Amino acid sequence: MSRFFRSGDDSSTESSSEEEELYSEEEEEEEEKDESEEEDEDEDEDESEEGSSSDEEGGKKSGAARFLRGDDSESEESDDDAPKTLKSAKDKQIAELESTIDTIEKRQRIGDWGAVSVEFDKLNRQASKISERGRTPKLYIKALVELEDAMNETISKQKVTPKKMNATSARGLNAVKQKIKKLKQDYQPQVDSYREDPLDFLASEEEDETPMPKPKKTKAEVYTDQVDDDQEGFATVGKGGKTLLFTPESIFKHLRGILESRGKKNTDRLEQIKVMEKLHEVAVTPYQRIKVLLTLVSARFDLGSGGSASMPLEHWKAAEKEISIMFEVLESNPEYVVIENADEWDDDEKPPTLQPGEKYIKIPGSIVSYVERLDDELTRSLQSIDPHTSEYIERLTDEGSLYNVIFRGLLYYETLAKDSSLQTPQDSLNRIVMRRLEHVYFKPAQVVKILETDAWKPVPAEVDSTITPRGSIADATNLLNVLCNYLFTNSEGIIRARAMLCQIYFLARHDEYYKARDMMLMSHLQETIGSFDVQTQILYNRTLVQVGLCAFRKGLVYEAQNTLQEICGSGRQKELLAQGVMIQRYAQVSPEQERLEKQRQLPFHMHINLELLECVYLTCSMLLEIPLLAQTGSSPDIKKRIISKTYRRMLEYHERQIFTGPPENTRDHVMQASRALAAGEWKKATNFIHSIKIWDLMTNADEIKAMLSKQIQEEGLRTYLFTYAPFYDTLAVSTLSSMFELEDRKVSAIISKMISHEELAAALDQVASTIIFRKGVELSRLQSLALTLSDKSAQLIETNERTLEQRTQGTANAFDRRGGQNQRGRGGGQRGGRGGARTGGTGQRQAGGTQFTGGVLGGAVRG
């Protein structure tokens, strides 16, 4: 190095001697520490300082070289003007420390706590570098105390000031608070002496300062594994080559280091998990085990904190097992409770003890949050697995163990709720009850009973539930009623609405249609569902579909079609039921919206079969629309009414086909059955409907097919009467009975109902068992077309007049050939305005008003 070839200039003897002393101290420290990084830093500082001194010595050149000006001529002129002073490395570090303290004070005065937090981190690094030489700078202690006072003053002002600081400053203030709280533990003696007498503390000699212990374990912070006997003498070592053995006394120190590095960049989460697994093995007291388990489960959940990636399977199973172990520890040590409103214990040296007058040692944590996160991670995992593989079935078996964890969590919160001194939040209990309800509401009763039986097996005999006592729940319906009634009583808002929807879904799933319908109507959720979150709206749609399917199984075709119309008529069943993402044409969907949409998707085992749903909807629409089409075709004076626009469009498209082959899918079967039913071939329509294979997915497929056959027979009879009534004077009931294979009483009942609803212009002769049709009421085909043409012509004239008035701006009378006589305006004549009543087109049309005044078409209309 250059310092060994230093010239013997008298002017720099003092500075060189000081530097040699400083260098000797540094070399001794380097030899003690054996740290290659600090050696490089010290050598760089030596070279920079010695380079400056050698430049100064080399500046005195002899001969003509003194008058030559090079690239550094300006620096040489400045050196000639003023003598250059040399600063040691320690002085430079103190100057940097003062500069940083000055920056913190400036940022603090303007309230920029985000910048204060950044500068405070820089100040801590500088102070730790100086402290490595054995002394803690007094300026640092002073800055630490003043910053704490300013922080406390700012916090007290924020409590009484209505104007809140921005989010960046608030985060910075909170970060500074946490850092000061930690640093005070290391510098507590210096802080106390400064607060007692600041002047005396700053005026004391530097030699009197208490030297801080050298942090020789800076490299030992890298956690390594303990040497086990079964590892054949091998051990994992850190960067410093040292192996750290975990002991019960060092557990809290390791946990604090892991918590501080959590969330930071370049953090090896898997390594932290391995460390905490070792800590759990050496933990001896219940408090140590609980703290390690809480931190370990949180670290495992961090592995699945990405946007799309789910939690690894082995870590999910490990987290589920560790939560179960934590429940066992808490049950065997009732004096320890994990609760949300507990204060954090800051002392890492000694654990908390039970004080006189206290019954519990409170540990901060949220069991319900862990249970919810475990449930969410299972759902995300099922979303990412192909449902048609065996892997999905294997993953689905974990739902049983998850339900056991939810059940144990509910029992634990019930135990806490028994003691009012703990002030257990009711919301936590409601959330975990809701999770339990969401795992049983869509399942058959037999599966729910198995889940409940398996959940009670690992529970100790002395533990019981107040909401659902052991052995009191005989069946799944009773369990659903108990859970829902508890949430109705103790919750409100979204949880209460979701509980009601779950109960309605369960009732409809088990063919309790009238109870489900009454609950749905009394809840009035259809009026307020738009104000709820998306997940609740999806549950509402699923419940609505399930009620419609229940009505269909009961044979209530009209109610089923009316219920399913809102979902199936939109053409977005997949999206509304969260069973797939619809890619709409010309739709601009951002990646964020697409990601959120995929996160809302339900796992495959919760899906409602969309093909079955479409089949039920189209079948119900067929049974209602075909008689309606026959009725309006024979009586066009009746206002046309459309029940299902979706079905009408499909039927019109099918009728436009030149050639129709045999049916291939559900839609083709229903369309061809519709054509057969409209032609009176009810047996052919029945065969088409029965040949749909999707009915086999229903539990009582034979009963469903028998119900459909009966419905097709009845609607075929009504369609036949609507179509062929104008061609009959009388018709025997026995003829209809043999034609549609119905009982005479059933045929008479259908005809009586049609006559009472004024759908059929006829009378029923019960003595002769015949139908007597009234003539002159039904119009012929030619009369119907003429009336239709007349109505459309009148609408065309009204549209033309309206357009004419808009263009002429009130001068419409200028085109009146009668010179203003019988001025009519738009409402003239006997119509009384555009909205005047019409008698179905059968009455005599009067002169005046909006009618044709000449021409072939006008004469035809008048005639």
mmCIF file of all heavy atoms in Angstrom, residues 18 152 171 192 211 235-236 258 313 353 578 608 610 623 642 667 670 676 685 700 720:
data_model
loop_
_atom_site.group_PDB
_atom_site.id
_atom_site.type_symbol
_atom_site.label_atom_id
_atom_site.label_comp_id
_atom_site.label_asym_id
_atom_site.label_seq_id
_atom_site.Cartn_x
_atom_site.Cartn_y
_atom_site.Cartn_z
ATOM 1 N N GLU A 18 -1.307 10.724 13.314
ATOM 2 C CA GLU A 18 -2.680 10.421 13.737
ATOM 3 C C GLU A 18 -3.274 9.309 12.877
ATOM 4 O O GLU A 18 -3.959 8.414 13.375
ATOM 5 C CB GLU A 18 -3.544 11.685 13.626
ATOM 6 C CG GLU A 18 -3.156 12.758 14.633
ATOM 7 C CD GLU A 18 -3.987 14.009 14.435
ATOM 8 O OE1 GLU A 18 -4.814 14.010 13.497
ATOM 9 O OE2 GLU A 18 -3.830 14.949 15.211
ATOM 10 N N ASN A 152 -44.202 11.802 19.557
ATOM 11 C CA ASN A 152 -45.300 11.777 20.531
ATOM 12 C C ASN A 152 -46.168 13.025 20.416
ATOM 13 O O ASN A 152 -47.399 12.957 20.553
ATOM 14 C CB ASN A 152 -44.733 11.671 21.948
ATOM 15 C CG ASN A 152 -44.051 10.330 22.184
ATOM 16 O OD1 ASN A 152 -44.426 9.330 21.575
ATOM 17 N ND2 ASN A 152 -43.048 10.307 23.053
ATOM 18 N N ARG A 171 -47.960 6.189 7.326
ATOM 19 C CA ARG A 171 -47.135 4.978 7.343
ATOM 20 C C ARG A 171 -45.724 5.275 7.842
ATOM 21 O O ARG A 171 -45.141 4.493 8.590
ATOM 22 C CB ARG A 171 -47.084 4.374 5.932
ATOM 23 C CG ARG A 171 -48.350 3.672 5.503
ATOM 24 C CD ARG A 171 -48.098 2.814 4.287
ATOM 25 N NE ARG A 171 -47.706 3.606 3.147
ATOM 26 C CZ ARG A 171 -48.538 4.100 2.234
ATOM 27 N NH1 ARG A 171 -49.832 3.852 2.355
ATOM 28 N NH2 ARG A 171 -48.114 4.803 1.219
ATOM 29 N N ASP A 192 -31.745 7.387 29.245
ATOM 30 C CA ASP A 192 -32.133 7.841 30.581
ATOM 31 C C ASP A 192 -31.177 8.917 31.100
ATOM 32 O O ASP A 192 -31.608 9.926 31.686
ATOM 33 C CB ASP A 192 -32.149 6.650 31.545
ATOM 34 C CG ASP A 192 -33.247 5.653 31.187
ATOM 35 O OD1 ASP A 192 -34.200 6.075 30.486
ATOM 36 O OD2 ASP A 192 -33.154 4.477 31.588
ATOM 37 N N PRO A 211 -18.857 2.088 26.555
ATOM 38 C CA PRO A 211 -18.719 1.478 25.222
ATOM 39 C C PRO A 211 -19.772 0.397 25.022
ATOM 40 O O PRO A 211 -20.067 -0.379 25.923
ATOM 41 C CB PRO A 211 -17.316 0.887 25.240
ATOM 42 C CG PRO A 211 -17.024 0.655 26.684
ATOM 43 C CD PRO A 211 -17.742 1.726 27.455
ATOM 44 N N ALA A 235 -24.012 -30.445 9.006
ATOM 45 C CA ALA A 235 -24.852 -29.357 9.511
ATOM 46 C C ALA A 235 -24.864 -28.243 8.484
ATOM 47 O O ALA A 235 -23.883 -28.012 7.783
ATOM 48 C CB ALA A 235 -24.330 -28.826 10.844
ATOM 49 N N THR A 236 -25.968 -27.546 8.401
ATOM 50 C CA THR A 236 -26.079 -26.402 7.508
ATOM 51 C C THR A 236 -25.475 -25.187 8.188
ATOM 52 O O THR A 236 -25.815 -24.881 9.333
ATOM 53 C CB THR A 236 -27.558 -26.128 7.175
ATOM 54 O OG1 THR A 236 -28.135 -27.330 6.677
ATOM 55 C CG2 THR A 236 -27.681 -25.031 6.142
ATOM 56 N N ILE A 258 -37.434 -12.688 12.423
ATOM 57 C CA ILE A 258 -38.238 -13.160 11.294
ATOM 58 C C ILE A 258 -39.401 -12.212 11.024
ATOM 59 O O ILE A 258 -39.715 -11.891 9.869
ATOM 60 C CB ILE A 258 -38.739 -14.590 11.577
ATOM 61 C CG1 ILE A 258 -37.559 -15.566 11.571
ATOM 62 C CG2 ILE A 258 -39.785 -15.014 10.567
ATOM 63 C CD1 ILE A 258 -37.919 -16.967 11.996
ATOM 64 N N LEU A 313 -49.467 -27.427 -1.778
ATOM 65 C CA LEU A 313 -50.281 -28.429 -1.087
ATOM 66 C C LEU A 313 -49.642 -28.862 0.228
ATOM 67 O O LEU A 313 -50.315 -28.946 1.263
ATOM 68 C CB LEU A 313 -50.485 -29.643 -2.008
ATOM 69 C CG LEU A 313 -51.215 -30.840 -1.396
ATOM 70 C CD1 LEU A 313 -52.601 -30.447 -0.931
ATOM 71 C CD2 LEU A 313 -51.294 -31.978 -2.417
ATOM 72 N N THR A 353 -46.038 -13.662 32.587
ATOM 73 C CA THR A 353 -46.496 -14.561 33.660
ATOM 74 C C THR A 353 -47.870 -14.112 34.124
ATOM 75 O O THR A 353 -48.297 -12.978 33.884
ATOM 76 C CB THR A 353 -45.516 -14.549 34.838
ATOM 77 O OG1 THR A 353 -45.350 -13.188 35.301
ATOM 78 C CG2 THR A 353 -44.164 -15.108 34.416
ATOM 79 N N ALA A 578 -71.258 -17.620 -11.577
ATOM 80 C CA ALA A 578 -69.821 -17.716 -11.276
ATOM 81 C C ALA A 578 -69.285 -19.103 -11.611
ATOM 82 O O ALA A 578 -68.534 -19.699 -10.850
ATOM 83 C CB ALA A 578 -69.544 -17.372 -9.810
ATOM 84 N N ILE A 608 -73.859 -25.756 -10.573
ATOM 85 C CA ILE A 608 -75.173 -26.225 -10.992
ATOM 86 C C ILE A 608 -75.064 -26.563 -12.478
ATOM 87 O O ILE A 608 -74.549 -25.759 -13.269
ATOM 88 C CB ILE A 608 -76.239 -25.147 -10.744
ATOM 89 C CG1 ILE A 608 -76.354 -24.844 -9.247
ATOM 90 C CG2 ILE A 608 -77.586 -25.574 -11.297
ATOM 91 C CD1 ILE A 608 -77.256 -23.674 -8.927
ATOM 92 N N LEU A 610 -75.353 -26.536 -16.026
ATOM 93 C CA LEU A 610 -75.949 -25.538 -16.914
ATOM 94 C C LEU A 610 -76.769 -26.188 -18.025
ATOM 95 O O LEU A 610 -77.772 -25.618 -18.481
ATOM 96 C CB LEU A 610 -74.852 -24.664 -17.519
ATOM 97 C CG LEU A 610 -74.077 -23.781 -16.531
ATOM 98 C CD1 LEU A 610 -73.014 -22.980 -17.254
ATOM 99 C CD2 LEU A 610 -75.017 -22.843 -15.793
ATOM 100 N N LEU A 623 -93.918 -25.724 -22.791
ATOM 101 C CA LEU A 623 -95.253 -26.062 -22.269
ATOM 102 C C LEU A 623 -96.127 -24.829 -22.094
ATOM 103 O O LEU A 623 -97.361 -24.950 -22.048
ATOM 104 C CB LEU A 623 -95.105 -26.800 -20.939
ATOM 105 C CG LEU A 623 -94.437 -28.180 -21.011
ATOM 106 C CD1 LEU A 623 -94.223 -28.746 -19.624
ATOM 107 C CD2 LEU A 623 -95.260 -29.133 -21.860
ATOM 108 N N ILE A 642 -95.625 -12.376 -25.051
ATOM 109 C CA ILE A 642 -94.462 -13.253 -25.166
ATOM 110 C C ILE A 642 -93.999 -13.621 -23.768
ATOM 111 O O ILE A 642 -93.750 -12.756 -22.936
ATOM 112 C CB ILE A 642 -93.331 -12.568 -25.948
ATOM 113 C CG1 ILE A 642 -93.776 -12.264 -27.379
ATOM 114 C CG2 ILE A 642 -92.093 -13.445 -25.971
ATOM 115 C CD1 ILE A 642 -92.742 -11.531 -28.191
ATOM 116 N N ARG A 667 -81.178 -28.729 -27.063
ATOM 117 C CA ARG A 667 -81.972 -27.699 -27.728
ATOM 118 C C ARG A 667 -82.736 -28.267 -28.922
ATOM 119 O O ARG A 667 -83.921 -27.947 -29.131
ATOM 120 C CB ARG A 667 -81.047 -26.567 -28.161
ATOM 121 C CG ARG A 667 -81.745 -25.339 -28.670
ATOM 122 C CD ARG A 667 -80.752 -24.248 -28.945
ATOM 123 N NE ARG A 667 -80.039 -23.859 -27.741
ATOM 124 C CZ ARG A 667 -79.066 -22.956 -27.706
ATOM 125 N NH1 ARG A 667 -78.691 -22.349 -28.835
ATOM 126 N NH2 ARG A 667 -78.465 -22.638 -26.575
ATOM 127 N N VAL A 670 -85.836 -30.257 -27.758
ATOM 128 C CA VAL A 670 -86.957 -29.425 -27.306
ATOM 129 C C VAL A 670 -87.632 -28.739 -28.490
ATOM 130 O O VAL A 670 -88.864 -28.630 -28.542
ATOM 131 C CB VAL A 670 -86.464 -28.390 -26.272
ATOM 132 C CG1 VAL A 670 -87.596 -27.464 -25.857
ATOM 133 C CG2 VAL A 670 -85.911 -29.092 -25.045
ATOM 134 N N ALA A 676 -93.839 -30.807 -32.817
ATOM 135 C CA ALA A 676 -94.782 -31.927 -32.739
ATOM 136 C C ALA A 676 -95.972 -31.580 -31.859
ATOM 137 O O ALA A 676 -97.125 -31.911 -32.183
ATOM 138 C CB ALA A 676 -94.068 -33.162 -32.198
ATOM 139 N N ALA A 685 -93.981 -35.708 -29.282
ATOM 140 C CA ALA A 685 -93.335 -34.702 -28.427
ATOM 141 C C ALA A 685 -92.820 -35.339 -27.137
ATOM 142 O O ALA A 685 -91.724 -35.025 -26.655
ATOM 143 C CB ALA A 685 -94.320 -33.575 -28.116
ATOM 144 N N ASN A 700 -84.704 -38.404 -9.054
ATOM 145 C CA ASN A 700 -85.945 -39.129 -9.334
ATOM 146 C C ASN A 700 -86.316 -38.944 -10.806
ATOM 147 O O ASN A 700 -87.316 -38.307 -11.142
ATOM 148 C CB ASN A 700 -87.077 -38.652 -8.425
ATOM 149 C CG ASN A 700 -87.134 -37.134 -8.356
ATOM 150 O OD1 ASN A 700 -86.295 -36.432 -8.951
ATOM 151 N ND2 ASN A 700 -88.128 -36.617 -7.654
ATOM 152 N N TYR A 720 -104.746 -28.196 -28.968
ATOM 153 C CA TYR A 720 -105.690 -28.711 -29.964
ATOM 154 C C TYR A 720 -106.988 -27.909 -29.950
ATOM 155 O O TYR A 720 -107.542 -27.574 -31.012
ATOM 156 C CB TYR A 720 -105.971 -30.187 -29.662
ATOM 157 C CG TYR A 720 -106.872 -30.843 -30.672
ATOM 158 C CD1 TYR A 720 -106.362 -31.344 -31.863
ATOM 159 C CD2 TYR A 720 -108.246 -30.968 -30.425
ATOM 160 C CE1 TYR A 720 -107.197 -31.954 -32.794
ATOM 161 C CE2 TYR A 720 -109.088 -31.567 -31.349
ATOM 162 C CZ TYR A 720 -108.555 -32.047 -32.532
ATOM 163 O OH TYR A 720 -109.378 -32.635 -33.460
#
